[in-house]
Amino acid sequence: MMGLLWLAFGNAGVFLASRRLLTRFGTGRPFTDAVIFLLVRLLLISAAVALTGVLHLLRPWVLGSLGAAATVLLCARGVHRQFLPLWKLRPDPAVFLLGALAIKLLFHVWVLSPFQGDVTSYHLPKVAEWVVHGTLFTDFGPDRRAWFPAGFELVETWWVVFLHHDVLIEMAGLEFLALGAAAAASIASRLGLPERACLLAAALYGAVPGLMVQSVFAINDPAAASMVVATFALVLDAAPTAWIATAVALGTGIKPTYVFALPGCAALWLWLRRTSTSPRPKSAPALWVLAALALLLGSGWYVRNTVRFGNPIYPAGTDSLDFGRVKVLRSVGPRWENLSQNLSDLDQRLLDRRKGIGSMMGHVAGWGVVAIAFGLTGLLAACRESREWRVVTAAFAVSLLSALALIENDDWFLRYVLFSPALPVVAACRMATQIPILRWPIVLLSALTIVGTVCTEDVPLQSLQEAARTDWRHRTFARQIMPDVDDPRVACYGDVSPMSYLLYRPDYSREVTYVRPSSPEDLLRLMEEHHLRTLYALSQYNRRGWGELLQKCLQMGRLKHVDGPWYVLVP
Amino acid sequence: MITPGRFQESLAAVCVVGARLHARPDPVDWLVVLGVCGALLPLCPESRPRNLVLAATAGLLSALYLIGHIPHMLAAASLMQ
């Protein structure tokens, strides 16, 4: 109960502080201000988690008390009166679509729990450790990919730290999806579309299937995509440079693939600076303080890796990214082979014919019917008729091409370019403004997409029903993925893809100790030293003698296999 | 009025369609549909035929997408039942 109270205080404090900063530094243009508001909210959340985590104070009462103090202070200044009353929104198909989208996503947030391999192997084990130990200085688990930037994980931590439970962890994805949707509306507004069309653009980008589905699967790729669209929106709207720098810094801290898409934003920024006749807006000094904070948050991960491993994008170049047939990040830099292979695959996968939408987006683009059918047609028409559209389209194309040249080809690379459908959906809205009758099929097809992605390739109806029936306190897909043992303290011996997040249980009640033995005797000694009886040993790739070590323990008779990845120590 | 500029634009789109059909002989390919739209648009200076071309293209592309994708959507909903 106290957790819920701290959660409410924390979020109220961040909401009001973001509103206060917006009042002071906003642009006065509603959709761009919505982007800035959501960006500041994410910045404040990330800063609060990072700061308390560094100070070993990552506890609900600390964050809740800070939120409560901010709430009292800002309410006394009347900031709470500055929010837009939602009931004043005019009834419109776009508003209904946004409402349906919100209901569907909140349902997913409530019912789903993390299960995807990458997420449970290297994104979330560190979130669990941070929350359990109240600090960022913890064991990151056996999968070295956990050393990649963790800007998105900071926001996920915010949504689990108060309740000490992961039932709301997918809210982090929703925060970024809202940012992407607001950014699409801002781009639409800047390109001269009326307010109704801007709201529709927000709904359509939020309902892009790849983005919508992945946002509730605790994956950071949609967050990176939304940050790219937000950066485009701020650049296009000629927002003060400090805001653009804030977005760039935060985006860089989420995932390096965000940076891959920046050339288009940079080209657009330079082109606008050269051609604009209106005076450039100045960034207030206090705004640069926010940008510096974002820079600290975004670059911290790379600085840490450089200092510790001599490689800012560690573990790139190690066998942690060697998946047998696929070897990722062998070399960093643009390559023609990447570009040609990725473009060819984009062409093949654009119509999402090979598979349904799922967490990994294997063999599909995930842009959806509206972005492809109405978006590409609308983009063709818009580029014929408007020079401004040609410029913005060229900038998006540069971003897409640069990302495709930098990303190595695999079955799921298209989830790294989910910023691309943003402009087509805005073009679809432009076409619907010019040909009003098209508004209806666009809304209907979006509604079909929203309903049609309630079940996905990897969460079919039966799994969803089973999760919905389970008490939220114990809701997890772990039991459907692997057997479980009844021991509140376990040792974990893993390597690549151990899915160790599933060990913690949804309320982080199980103590997980990561062991890195150098020999079979060392493994047994470590378990005895820590008074651990149960061992969880799982890795998708048996390398560096991982399996042999385990086998020797079994042959020695000191370990006994129980079930699946579970073993017990024989006294 | 169809100007020489518009005619050239249309011709360029026809070339794209031709190149695509040469590379992949599939008349209901998404790029072919879009290319035909690109070829027709410059020849429709009036808003009514232009809108008709745009709506028809969007409709055709929607059908292309849905025919291929809906079976997967339905499969996800009933896969484990």
Side-chain angles (χ1 to χ4, degrees):
Chain A
M1 191 61 196
M2 277 308 284
L4 208 57
L5 197 67
W6 292 133
L7 174 73
F9 274 136
N11 277 298
V14 172
F15 258 113
L16 291 166
S18 307
R19 187 66 187 88
R20 175 79 188 106
L21 286 166
L22 182 66
T23 307
R24 202 159 157 215
F25 302 118
T27 61
R29 294 179 289 277
F31 291 110
T32 306
D33 280 353
V35 173
I36 291 174
F37 172 77
L38 292 165
L39 199 64
V40 173
R41 181 174 154 75
L42 290 166
L43 174 65
L44 293 179
I45 287 174
S46 305
V49 172
L51 185 69
T52 52
V54 167
L55 297 173
H56 294 255
L57 289 170
L58 185 57
R59 297 291 177 204
W61 67 269
V62 177
L63 290 166
S65 303
L66 287 172
T71 304
V72 171
L73 199 72
L74 292 166
C75 280
R77 287 181 165 215
V79 177
H80 60 291
R81 291 193 207 99
Q82 295 170 356
F83 281 95
L84 172 74
L86 287 174
W87 57 88
K88 284 194 178 172
L89 280 173
R90 278 181 306 172
D92 183 87
V95 175
F96 292 130
L97 206 55
L98 279 169
L101 182 63
I103 290 168
K104 183 247 186 179
L105 291 170
L106 289 172
F107 168 73
H108 267 170
V109 167
W110 182 245
V111 168
L112 293 178
S113 59
F115 68 93
Q116 200 259 346
D118 286 356
V119 167
T120 54
S121 293
Y122 67 92
H123 289 300
L124 296 186
K126 58 179 177 270
V127 171
E129 287 287 309
W130 292 348
V131 171
V132 168
H133 298 288
T135 172
L136 297 190
F137 304 108
T138 57
D139 196 326
F140 278 15
D143 196 320
R144 283 181 287 170
R145 289 175 291 173
W147 290 96
F148 278 137
F152 183 61
E153 284 88 324
L154 289 178
V155 184
E156 288 181 314
T157 305
W158 173 266
W159 282 104
V160 299
V161 69
F162 295 105
L163 301 178
H164 212 266
H165 196 288
D166 71 4
V167 68
L168 297 180
I169 197 165
E170 295 86 2
M171 281 300 294
L174 251 64
E175 299 248 15
F176 282 95
L177 187 66
L179 176 72
S186 171
I187 291 171
S189 174
R190 180 63 187 75
L191 289 171
L193 268 60
E195 189 185 309
R196 284 177 76 195
C198 297
L199 282 173
L200 185 61
L204 296 187
Y205 187 61
V208 164
L211 205 70
M212 171 171 58
V213 167
Q214 288 212 312
S215 289
V216 287
F217 281 178
I219 297 172
N220 59 5
D221 296 305
S226 289
M227 287 301 303
V228 173
V229 183
T231 311
F232 263 114
L234 292 172
V235 167
L236 191 59
D237 203 41
T241 313
W243 280 131
I244 299 170
T246 303
V248 171
L250 277 185
T252 306
I254 292 170
K255 195 163 183 158
T257 50
Y258 166 84
V259 183
F260 295 177
L262 279 186
C265 298
L268 185 63
W269 185 71
L270 287 171
W271 187 84
L272 288 171
R273 273 175 76 93
R274 221 187 50 176
T275 56
S276 174
T277 48
S278 52
R280 284 176 211 150
K282 288 221 164 67
S283 304
L287 205 51
W288 282 110
V289 174
L290 287 181
L293 179 64
L295 185 67
L296 201 66
L297 286 165
S299 64
W301 317 106
Y302 298 92
V303 173
R304 176 200 64 189
N305 287 358
T306 306
V307 171
R308 192 170 170 142
F309 304 107
N311 175 6
I313 50 167
Y314 179 87
T318 71
D319 64 359
S320 293
L321 297 162
D322 179 352
F323 306 103
R325 191 174 59 83
V326 179
K327 293 178 180 63
V328 185
L329 283 176
R330 282 163 297 176
S331 62
V332 180
R335 290 168 63 189
W336 282 113
E337 306 92 85
N338 290 345
L339 184 62
S340 64
Q341 184 67 51
N342 288 340
L343 275 175
S344 166
D345 281 357
L346 172 63
D347 171 28
Q348 300 283 331
R349 300 177 192 179
L350 200 63
L351 295 179
D352 299 338
R353 290 189 151 183
R354 287 176 66 182
K355 283 185 91 176
I357 306 294
S359 61
M360 286 294 279
M361 301 236 318
H363 301 289
V364 292
W367 292 18
V369 60
V370 173
I372 288 166
F374 294 83
L376 294 182
T377 311
L379 202 57
L380 186 68
C383 286
R384 282 198 67 247
E385 293 159 16
S386 157
R387 183 167 184 257
E388 197 175 26
W389 269 90
R390 282 195 289 275
V391 169
V392 180
T393 305
F396 265 83
V398 168
S399 282
L400 176 64
L401 293 176
S402 75
L404 292 183
L406 282 155
I407 295 165
E408 290 177 355
N409 183 264
D410 54 33
D411 293 346
W412 47 84
F413 75 94
L414 284 170
R415 66 189 167 128
Y416 307 132
V417 293
L418 280 171
F419 60 87
S420 310
L423 197 61
V425 299
V426 175
C429 296
R430 179 184 184 271
M431 194 163 76
T433 307
Q434 290 179 339
I435 314 170
I437 199 164
L438 290 185
R439 197 173 169 82
W440 293 105
I442 286 175
V443 169
L444 283 175
L445 286 172
S446 284
L448 175 73
T449 307
I450 291 171
V451 174
T453 49
V454 170
C455 301
T456 64
E457 189 82 356
D458 32 20
V459 185
L461 186 62
Q462 195 194 28
S463 301
L464 208 60
Q465 285 172 331
E466 200 176 315
R469 277 195 297 266
T470 312
D471 180 357
W472 68 270
R473 291 172 194 84
H474 311 294
R475 194 174 288 148
T476 173
F477 285 120
R479 282 183 292 274
Q480 294 181 34
I481 294 170
M482 62 174 75
D484 197 12
V485 296
D486 192 22
D487 191 340
R489 297 180 69 245
V490 298
C492 174
Y493 169 46
D495 195 276
V496 179
S497 304
M499 301 181 82
S500 56
Y501 178 74
L502 298 174
L503 299 178
Y504 290 88
R505 294 177 174 158
D507 57 355
Y508 306 106
S509 58
R510 180 185 268 157
E511 187 185 323
V512 179
T513 304
Y514 293 106
V515 288
R516 295 174 178 81
S518 55
S519 64
E521 294 76 18
D522 197 29
L523 172 61
L524 302 169
R525 184 187 59 77
L526 284 167
M527 288 185 70
E528 282 169 348
E529 253 180 36
H530 289 94
H531 307 289
L532 296 164
R533 190 178 165 271
T534 310
L535 176 73
Y536 169 89
L538 181 72
S539 176
Q540 300 295 318
Y541 301 92
N542 181 11
R543 53 181 74 153
R544 291 193 299 272
W546 180 87
E548 290 82 357
L549 194 148
L550 202 62
Q551 278 305 315
K552 278 186 186 162
C553 288
L554 289 167
Q555 285 163 6
M556 286 159 68
R558 292 298 315 278
L559 269 189
K560 189 180 150 201
H561 184 230
V562 181
D563 194 7
W566 294 102
Y567 300 81
V568 287
L569 189 65
V570 178
Chain B
M1 202 176 82
I2 300 168
T3 59
R6 282 173 171 267
F7 183 72
Q8 281 169 10
E9 200 185 326
S10 179
L11 204 61
V14 169
C15 290
V16 170
V17 172
R20 176 67 165 192
L21 282 172
H22 179 70
R24 194 198 298 177
D26 177 6
V28 286
D29 174 76
W30 70 271
L31 194 56
V32 170
V33 174
L34 212 56
V36 170
C37 172
L40 289 175
L41 279 180
L43 308 179
C44 307
E46 303 292 323
S47 73
R48 207 164 160 172
R50 170 193 167 276
N51 292 353
L52 204 64
V53 168
L54 288 174
T57 307
L60 200 52
L61 284 175
S62 298
L64 272 180
Y65 181 95
L66 293 173
I67 286 168
H69 188 66
I70 279 189
H72 296 293
M73 246 185 207
L74 295 175
S78 57
L79 197 65
M80 306 294 279
Q81 283 184 327

